[in-house]
Amino acid sequence: YEDYYTLSLEIVHQRSLTDSLEKFISGSLVSEYTCSSCKKKVDVIRRTLLSSLPNVMIVHLQRFTFNFDTCTNDKIHTRLEFPNVLDMAPYTEEYLSTKEKKEVSSKGAEKADKSVEDETKMPESELSMKK
């Protein structure tokens, strides 16, 4: 974990500050990563999350991009919307881990419900064999 007071956000192709924050935490897929515990090659998502929020934070908007055709920096002049009050909780590690645990448990419950529905739709002869 690293302490930070400045958050640098990409705004290219983003309509709002919340879109930029979503892109910041979305991460990227790393293929063929070697798991340290099982020593197998797996696909993982590498992302940056906020473990704790500082009292004061500077949000830097990356308004310049390098143009490889002209070898110059180009300024991004597009409009970027932002809220009057910025709730940073949805971008924290705690919030996202809780949200992901709920999604996993709800998917498990949906699978259980579906298997119960499938059993009730089976013909009587198959139901008796399953019991």
Side-chain angles (χ1 to χ4, degrees):
Y1 296 102
E2 296 178 20
D3 290 338
Y4 68 95
Y5 298 99
T6 304
L7 198 58
S8 187
L9 300 176
E10 290 183 33
I11 62 165
V12 176
H13 307 296
Q14 304 302 317
R15 297 189 69 205
S16 68
L17 186 62
T18 53
D19 291 345
S20 293
L21 286 164
E22 288 292 331
K23 183 177 180 182
F24 178 77
I25 64 167
S26 66
S28 60
L29 182 67
V30 178
S31 298
E32 307 251 343
Y33 174 80
T34 304
C35 177
S36 59
S37 60
C38 67
K39 306 295 185 216
K40 292 182 181 178
K41 300 262 185 193
V42 293
D43 293 339
V44 295
I45 296 177
R46 181 182 182 271
R47 64 183 182 182
T48 302
L49 299 175
L50 308 174
S51 61
S52 62
L53 297 171
N55 291 333
V56 176
M57 182 175 65
I58 298 168
V59 178
H60 168 250
L61 304 177
Q62 296 176 7
R63 288 202 170 271
F64 291 93
T65 59
F66 187 74
N67 184 332
F68 289 100
D69 296 331
T70 62
C71 292
T72 60
N73 288 326
D74 293 339
K75 185 171 183 181
I76 300 167
H77 292 283
T78 58
R79 176 183 169 92
L80 186 75
E81 297 176 3
F82 57 93
N84 288 332
V85 176
L86 183 60
D87 181 14
M88 293 296 292
Y91 312 104
T92 61
E93 182 179 23
E94 179 182 358
Y95 179 89
L96 288 170
S97 65
T98 304
K99 179 181 172 185
E100 289 168 356
K101 285 178 186 174
K102 285 181 183 177
E103 287 174 359
V104 168
S105 65
S106 68
K107 285 181 183 177
E110 286 174 12
K111 285 181 181 179
D113 289 343
K114 187 174 183 192
S115 66
V116 169
E117 286 175 14
D118 290 345
E119 284 184 13
T120 59
K121 291 178 185 177
M122 286 182 172
E124 189 65 37
S125 60
E126 287 185 33
L127 276 176
S128 61
M129 287 196 287
K130 257 196 140 158
K131 293 178 184 176

